Amino acid sequence: MSKKALRKSNTREVFQSKARFFSILLIILLGVCFYAGIKATGPDMVNTADTYYKDQHLMDTKIVSPTGLEEKDLELVKENKAVEQAEGSYTLDVTDKRENNVIRLMSYDKEAKSGLNQPRLLTGRLPEKSGEIAIDNRGEELDKYKVGDKITFDTGKDQLKKETYTIVGLVNSPLYIDKVSRGNTNIGKGSIDFFGLVPKSDVTLDVYTEIYVGYNNTDDLISYSDAYKKQVSKNEKILKEELKPREKTQFETIQKEGMEKIVEGKNQLSDGEKTITEGKQQLEAGKEELTKQKEGLKLAESMGQVIPAENKAALQEAEKKLTEQEDSLLKEEKKLTDNKQELADKEKELNDMKQPKYMYYDRDDNPAYSEYNDNADRISSIATVFPVFFFMIAALICLTTMTRMVDEKRGEIGTLKALGYSNFEIAQKFILYATLASIIGSALGLVIGFNVFPTVIFNAYGSLYNLPPVIITYYVSYIIQSIIVALLCTLLSSMIVLRVDLLSTPAVLMRPKAPKPGKRILLERIRPLWSRFNFNQKVTARNLFRYKQRMLMTVLGIAGCMAMIITGFGLKDSIGDIVDIQFSKIWHYDATVTYNPDATKQETADYEKERDELDIYSSHLALSQKTVEVVNSGYKKQEVIVDTPKDVSQLKTFITFKDRKTDELYKLDDSGVIINEKLSKLYHLEEGDTLKIKASGDDVREVKVKHIVENYAMHFIYMTPAYYEKIFGEAPDYNVDLLNFNQEISEKQEEKLAEQLMDTKKAINVTYTSQIGKAMDDTMGSLNIVVWVLIVSAALLAFIVLYNLTNINISERIRELSTIKVLGFYDKEVTMYVYRENNILTVLGILLGCVLGKVLHGFVLQTAEVDMMMFPMTIHGISYLYSAALTILFSLVVMYFMHRRLKKVDMIEALKSNE
């Protein structure tokens, strides 16, 4: 039997039902686009950063010592088998005299073209000779520096060969991928404004400030991956063992050199004392001689002798010289006393000195590096939930559409069966139709998704990070998953529905399906209510309950889209609320001052005087801050800050402790600790439970959880001084001061205040709550772009779903609608005949979507949260309103298009008998 006609019919089907074909294609396109795009964004962000780190040879480990590092340390590191590169480097924090900016200078070796932490040149060139500097690109962005400018540094010590440097280039560094923060320092205002690169030969320090290390067994590992972290940790452990003897050697060398200098100083003091003693003796002898000469002069004058003027002048000159000699001797004696005290202090410092420990930092210790990973993780977390739900809605609509197509082709299937075509040959039309729609939709969706979503979302973070453009990667796993799901949505659903018809006889198939019998609905039994309905209302009610499957599909489709739009707006609300709640309703202090542990009593008194005399000063609270690890077995370790206030009664004016659900306020007491809610969730803790904590170099301690309070950023344990002493066996060390101001201050005022306090030497850093809030707001603001992508995608799906369901509804009822047109209904009345039902189903879908949206919002938030953060589970009322308004708007737009279609219905063609 010739199959040419069959193949021609199969091909024509696509063109004869373009609206249905493109509606399926668009749903698949949107589903695949969203699924693949969102799923690829997190990995693309990580891959882009990883490629940048590898291109710029970002270090794997940084080694630092309080006393500096020597060439011997560098040689030992280079001898390690796992080390590919190791470089000694110098870092200086200096002040720009003109701009009063704090700049972190890093040494740059022009000979090491493939060295570690290679800068990315943006403008100009890198420094090549003495007196040249390449400055942080942020300097130009803030209109502070440009190529050709000169900078004069106030180093405080002779640490650089030159004071004035010429800017020859603008750069970015893999060490500073954050566009804003450059870290903290103990000079100036306490925070670094910019970094700069100067020739290594210009630095005059005796020892390296750090050694950067790159390993050869991490080249093939992806940054941020667990495999990379484990390998770096393993390498660091070996390095620590190899360098441990150097800690003792360096300590002994410092002690020996220090004692030699002290002995030398004591010898010099001894020589100085001898010199002063001899000087005093000579002075006394001179005074005696002068006294004798004066007495002789007086005797001669009393005897009437004439004394020459030259003799008197010589005597006065000798007396003047003796006075000058005495003053000089007193100054030298005071200087000697001061030197003796200074030497005694140095000797005491040397005796009290503890063996220095080498500190090892990996990339995760860089806040910007870790924060970027957290942002990528948030995107990946959202991608585990939202796209799946998105695809479920698309699958539901595809199933409905393909079911309708099979039902429409019953007569054709029966005819083909009667003509002798096999079931497989008949099914080819549906296989071709579904496969074409799926493959074309998937292909377009993959191209758009892989290119648009990662680019839009990555660019949203462009205001936060100094990274090259996103690297687009086509992930085979996501491509296969998308195509399989797309085919399941269309091909499998059509085959399941088609199976029933293929098993039927041609005679049954060529007769139209008997219409559903009319039944009395529940409302008809409520006579007082039913009797008040007019004709249109009765028809609407009967049609709704007559086609229950269609009603269910419409309600679920609209509810699903509504839920996703609400989730998008809800995420925006939750993200936007964090900063306001955390920094206004929970934390009430304005600044945090970190103390210098080596500050003297005088420096402490100077700080307190300076603080109390500030015009804006309101109150303060001394606080002990200690970092510990929670070590409950079976759980991942978490870093927690233990806060112990000196005056517990004052704590409520700085921090509010309350239950998030009941708003009950709590107070600290000596019977237990207060912990934050996210920490309790991570360890499944309740009030009365025990929490195990461990400080560095300390034993495991157990604390009793008294209360669990609302908190959204980081983990905290609060305890009283008495409870702290009971747990740790020692009094708390109050190393932090919280400050409250009586008015808001500008950024410039903040900088000036920080400099004032740090000049006292007691404060080594001043952090403002407003700055932390602003930084967090910037990060959360970038996440808002992601949320808008979710909202727009869900809205587009909602539009396609409404269009498709309405189109199916009209196609199924074309004879019915043509009949009422013949009976004299106007075009608007025919449209409203259908849309009364749609409006009711839309409202029901919106109501159900509000409930589903709340559930989905909570689920997505819990999935997207990182360990150190909690999102408030709130959706603002206006968000529900926006979501409902969008859904209604799409419903009205669809109604407009369908109204135009209904006006063009060919009534004669539609009412022809199928027989």
Side-chain angles (χ1 to χ4, degrees):
M1 185 182 295
S2 175
K3 298 176 184 176
K4 187 177 179 182
L6 181 64
R7 286 195 293 269
K8 193 178 288 185
S9 174
N10 293 346
T11 308
R12 281 177 177 168
E13 184 61 36
V14 175
F15 298 99
Q16 287 172 349
S17 57
K18 290 189 285 289
R20 178 168 57 214
F21 183 81
F22 281 107
S23 68
I24 295 172
L25 189 148
L26 281 174
I27 288 174
I28 294 297
L29 184 151
L30 199 56
V32 169
C33 174
F34 190 80
Y35 179 81
I38 294 292
K39 292 286 274 184
T41 300
D44 276 355
M45 287 177 69
V46 170
N47 183 39
T48 301
D50 179 60
T51 303
Y52 175 61
Y53 300 149
K54 284 182 168 64
D55 289 346
Q56 308 307 127
H57 303 288
L58 176 62
M59 62 86 195
D60 293 310
T61 296
K62 180 174 76 171
I63 306 172
V64 176
S65 168
T67 52
L69 296 156
E70 300 173 355
E71 196 66 37
K72 181 64 178 173
D73 296 300
L74 182 59
E75 289 171 8
L76 279 172
V77 172
K78 286 181 176 179
E79 288 171 7
N80 186 286
K81 291 179 181 178
V83 172
E84 184 176 11
Q85 283 180 291
E87 294 177 2
S89 179
Y90 303 105
T91 299
L92 302 172
D93 292 342
V94 298
T95 306
D96 173 6
K97 288 182 178 179
R98 180 172 61 88
E99 292 284 348
N100 197 32
N101 291 319
V102 178
I103 300 175
R104 172 157 287 176
L105 297 181
M106 300 183 290
S107 61
Y108 171 72
D109 188 358
K110 65 177 182 179
E111 303 300 327
K113 296 293 182 185
S114 60
L116 296 171
N117 309 320
Q118 283 294 304
R120 184 163 68 109
L121 185 65
L122 301 176
T123 307
R125 60 178 175 83
L126 293 169
E128 295 175 354
K129 56 186 180 181
S130 180
E132 292 183 342
I133 183 173
I135 202 77
D136 185 355
N137 183 54
R138 186 168 179 255
E140 186 183 53
E141 289 175 353
L142 296 178
D143 202 25
K144 295 283 186 181
Y145 304 107
K146 61 181 185 294
V147 175
D149 286 355
K150 292 185 181 295
I151 311 177
T152 302
F153 296 126
D154 181 8
T155 60
K157 295 179 182 177
D158 186 21
Q159 298 171 322
L160 289 171
K161 284 185 180 178
K162 295 193 174 184
E163 279 192 356
T164 302
Y165 281 77
T166 303
I167 298 173
V168 295
L170 300 171
V171 294
N172 284 336
S173 170
L175 291 170
Y176 296 98
I177 64 167
D178 188 342
K179 269 196 174 182
V180 179
S181 175
R182 294 292 178 261
N184 297 322
T185 181
N186 55 5
I187 70 167
K189 58 197 171 188
S191 60
I192 299 165
D193 296 297
F194 312 103
F195 69 84
L197 304 176
V198 295
K200 197 171 186 177
S201 56
D202 272 16
V203 184
T204 57
L205 296 176
D206 297 326
V207 290
Y208 297 122
T209 52
E210 60 270 311
I211 291 175
Y212 291 115
V213 184
Y215 301 115
N216 52 31
N217 51 17
T218 58
D219 291 341
D220 298 328
L221 301 177
I222 298 172
S223 304
Y224 301 115
S225 67
D226 290 336
Y228 172 80
K229 291 176 184 177
K230 284 178 183 176
Q231 189 60 59
V232 168
S233 180
K234 185 180 176 182
N235 293 341
E236 280 183 5
K237 193 175 180 181
I238 296 169
L239 270 180
K240 285 177 185 177
E241 290 300 318
E242 291 177 353
L243 289 176
K244 198 166 183 64
R246 283 289 301 157
E247 295 176 357
K248 186 179 179 182
T249 304
Q250 195 181 63
F251 178 63
E252 289 172 350
T253 303
I254 292 169
Q255 287 277 344
K256 183 182 176 182
E257 290 176 354
M259 286 308 297
E260 285 175 357
K261 286 181 180 178
I262 286 169
V263 170
E264 186 183 340
K266 283 182 176 179
N267 291 335
Q268 288 175 352
L269 284 174
S270 180
D271 292 342
E273 284 176 344
K274 285 179 183 177
T275 304
I276 288 172
T277 302
E278 289 172 0
K280 282 182 176 179
Q281 290 172 353
Q282 290 174 1
L283 185 66
E284 289 300 322
K287 282 182 177 179
E288 288 177 7
E289 181 63 30
L290 185 65
T291 303
K292 286 179 183 178
Q293 288 180 6
K294 280 184 177 180
E295 288 174 353
L297 193 65
K298 282 182 182 179
L299 182 62
E301 284 181 340
S302 64
M303 294 174 65
Q305 293 181 6
V306 178
I307 307 299
E310 294 85 16
N311 290 355
K312 288 183 178 181
L315 201 62
Q316 287 175 355
E317 184 65 27
E319 188 175 17
K320 183 182 176 184
K321 281 184 178 180
L322 279 175
T323 304
E324 288 175 354
Q325 189 178 349
E326 187 175 21
D327 290 343
S328 175
L329 205 59
L330 286 171
K331 286 179 182 178
E332 286 295 322
E333 192 172 21
K334 186 178 182 306
K335 187 178 178 182
L336 189 70
T337 303
D338 292 342
N339 288 342
K340 190 183 286 187
Q341 182 60 46
E342 186 181 345
L343 195 65
D345 291 341
K346 284 184 178 178
E347 186 174 16
K348 185 177 183 303
E349 186 181 327
L350 194 66
N351 291 330
D352 293 342
M353 183 181 177
K354 293 179 182 178
Q355 182 173 306
K357 287 188 176 181
Y358 287 10
M359 289 165 282
Y360 299 80
Y361 300 98
D362 56 32
R363 295 178 181 180
D364 280 331
D365 293 303
N366 181 337
Y369 177 93
S370 301
E371 185 191 79
Y372 181 84
N373 188 36
D374 289 342
N375 285 328
D377 283 345
R378 287 189 191 106
I379 304 298
S380 298
S381 298
I382 290 171
T384 59
V385 183
F386 217 84
V388 175
F389 195 79
F390 201 92
F391 237 142
M392 284 171 62
I393 302 300
L396 182 71
I397 304 308
C398 285
L399 174 64
T400 308
T401 308
M402 291 307 296
T403 302
R404 175 60 192 160
M405 178 183 174
V406 173
D407 283 345
E408 283 180 1
K409 298 296 175 183
R410 275 174 56 85
E412 186 179 314
I413 294 168
T415 304
L416 291 171
K417 281 179 76 73
L419 291 170
Y421 286 94
S422 68
N423 287 345
F424 176 71
E425 289 169 340
I426 296 168
Q428 282 178 2
K429 173 176 287 191
F430 303 95
I431 293 171
L432 178 68
Y433 196 91
T435 305
L436 268 178
S438 298
I439 297 298
I440 295 171
S442 297
L444 292 172
L446 288 167
V447 171
I448 296 169
F450 280 137
N451 286 279
V452 173
F453 281 80
T455 304
V456 170
I457 294 171
F458 187 85
N459 288 344
Y461 288 101
S463 60
L464 297 178
Y465 299 105
N466 289 313
L467 289 171
V470 65
I471 298 170
I472 302 299
T473 306
Y474 285 78
Y475 298 95
V476 177
S477 59
Y478 298 150
I479 292 172
I480 293 170
Q481 288 169 20
S482 300
I483 292 172
I484 289 173
V485 175
L487 288 171
L488 287 174
C489 291
T490 55
L491 185 59
L492 185 64
S493 60
S494 61
M495 289 300 101
I496 291 170
V497 179
L498 184 63
R499 180 175 172 274
V500 177
D501 288 347
L502 291 176
L503 293 175
S504 302
T505 61
V508 172
L509 290 170
M510 285 190 286
R511 284 197 300 269
K513 270 187 177 179
K516 287 195 175 183
K519 293 180 182 178
R520 292 185 71 190
I521 61 174
L522 180 63
L523 287 175
E524 288 187 59
R525 302 180 191 279
I526 308 172
R527 299 301 301 174
L529 178 63
W530 186 256
S531 61
R532 295 178 183 275
F533 282 9
N534 61 30
F535 170 76
N536 287 330
Q537 289 169 337
K538 288 178 180 179
V539 170
T540 301
R542 281 179 177 144
N543 282 335
L544 282 173
F545 289 96
R546 186 181 179 194
Y547 301 103
K548 295 184 182 67
Q549 185 182 1
R550 186 175 65 212
M551 178 181 73
L552 185 64
M553 287 293 185
T554 306
V555 170
L556 286 177
I558 294 170
C561 296
M562 176 76 180
M564 286 192 291
I565 298 172
I566 285 175
T567 302
F569 278 112
L571 286 172
K572 187 176 182 297
D573 293 338
S574 297
I575 290 164
D577 286 349
I578 284 182
V579 175
D580 181 53
I581 297 173
Q582 185 69 49
F583 296 96
S584 298
K585 298 177 182 177
I586 297 176
W587 293 347
H588 309 297
Y589 53 90
D590 297 300
T592 304
V593 180
T594 306
Y595 287 160
N596 177 5
D598 300 321
T600 63
K601 288 183 179 178
Q602 183 58 48
E603 287 168 345
T604 302
D606 290 344
Y607 162 76
E608 290 174 352
K609 183 183 177 185
E610 189 73 42
R611 177 197 66 200
D612 296 344
E613 288 178 355
L614 293 170
D615 294 336
I616 59 170
Y617 170 72
S618 174
S619 60
H620 85 101
L621 178 67
L623 200 69
S624 165
Q625 280 196 345
K626 184 173 189 171
T627 303
V628 299
E629 277 187 346
V630 178
V631 291
N632 280 24
S633 59
Y635 295 94
K636 181 182 172 184
K637 289 182 181 179
Q638 295 290 336
E639 278 198 352
V640 183
I641 297 171
V642 175
D643 278 351
T644 308
K646 190 173 185 179
D647 186 353
V648 177
S649 63
Q650 288 291 317
L651 186 59
K652 63 183 178 182
T653 60
F654 292 84
I655 302 170
T656 295
F657 295 135
K658 73 180 182 72
D659 186 284
R660 180 175 58 85
K661 296 174 183 175
T662 64
D663 285 338
E664 183 182 353
L665 295 174
Y666 299 126
K667 290 182 181 178
L668 265 181
D669 59 40
D670 299 335
S671 62
V673 301
I674 291 177
I675 68 171
N676 59 294
E677 187 178 341
K678 185 60 187 282
L679 189 64
S680 73
K681 284 182 179 178
L682 289 173
Y683 291 93
H684 301 97
L685 296 170
E686 294 181 0
E687 292 181 0
D689 289 348
T690 300
L691 185 65
K692 292 181 180 179
I693 59 174
K694 184 181 184 298
S696 178
D698 194 12
D699 298 327
V700 175
R701 314 279 180 172
E702 290 189 356
V703 295
K704 183 183 177 183
V705 178
K706 186 68 182 295
H707 298 297
I708 297 167
V709 297
E710 181 181 18
N711 190 79
Y712 296 98
M714 298 181 286
H715 299 312
F716 292 93
I717 295 175
Y718 298 92
M719 59 178 70
T720 63
Y723 195 78
Y724 181 98
E725 200 162 346
K726 176 185 172 184
I727 297 299
F728 293 102
E730 60 183 14
D733 175 23
Y734 298 104
N735 52 3
V736 166
D737 198 17
L738 303 183
L739 301 183
N740 262 339
F741 304 144
N742 53 30
Q743 64 185 54
E744 287 188 15
I745 58 175
S746 66
E747 197 171 327
K748 284 190 176 180
Q749 287 175 306
E750 286 179 346
E751 290 180 6
K752 186 179 178 183
L753 173 60
E755 202 165 341
Q756 270 181 266
L757 295 176
M758 289 179 66
D759 281 343
T760 64
K761 307 300 181 188
K762 174 68 174 177
I764 57 172
N765 190 42
V766 181
T767 307
Y768 295 97
T769 309
S770 60
Q771 291 177 353
I772 301 171
K774 187 181 177 184
M776 186 179 272
D777 210 18
D778 288 342
T779 303
M780 295 298 115
S782 297
L783 203 57
N784 271 335
I785 301 293
V786 181
V787 171
W788 277 112
V789 169
L790 301 181
I791 292 169
V792 171
S793 301
L796 283 172
L797 182 66
F799 178 76
I800 295 172
V801 165
L802 279 165
Y803 179 84
N804 218 35
L805 290 171
T806 308
N807 190 38
I808 292 169
N809 186 10
I810 289 172
S811 298
E812 284 180 344
R813 302 169 63 185
I814 198 69
R815 286 172 64 83
E816 178 187 345
L817 297 173
S818 297
T819 302
I820 64 172
K821 284 192 80 170
V822 170
L823 292 173
F825 277 60
Y826 292 108
D827 289 334
K828 287 183 181 179
E829 290 177 318
V830 174
T831 301
M832 286 311 299
Y833 181 83
V834 175
Y835 258 86
R836 284 190 193 91
E837 299 166 30
N838 271 26
N839 291 341
I840 293 169
L841 296 178
T842 300
V843 171
L844 290 173
I846 287 171
L847 294 174
L848 180 60
C850 289
V851 177
L852 286 176
K854 181 68 177 174
V855 174
L856 183 62
H857 170 257
F859 184 65
V860 170
L861 277 185
Q862 287 182 341
T863 309
E865 277 179 0
V866 292
D867 288 346
M868 298 297 287
M869 189 171 287
M870 186 176 83
F871 289 112
M873 300 283 184
T874 52
I875 303 177
H876 298 167
I878 193 71
S879 296
Y880 288 105
L881 191 62
Y882 286 151
S883 304
L886 271 174
T887 307
I888 292 168
L889 173 66
F890 294 144
S891 181
L892 292 173
V893 172
V894 169
M895 182 174 111
Y896 169 74
F897 285 114
M898 291 306 163
H899 174 67
R900 294 182 62 184
R901 179 184 167 188
L902 288 172
K903 282 167 69 176
K904 297 175 183 177
V905 167
D906 187 341
M907 293 176 282
I908 297 173
E909 185 68 29
L911 291 171
K912 278 182 181 178
S913 172
N914 287 341
E915 299 292 335

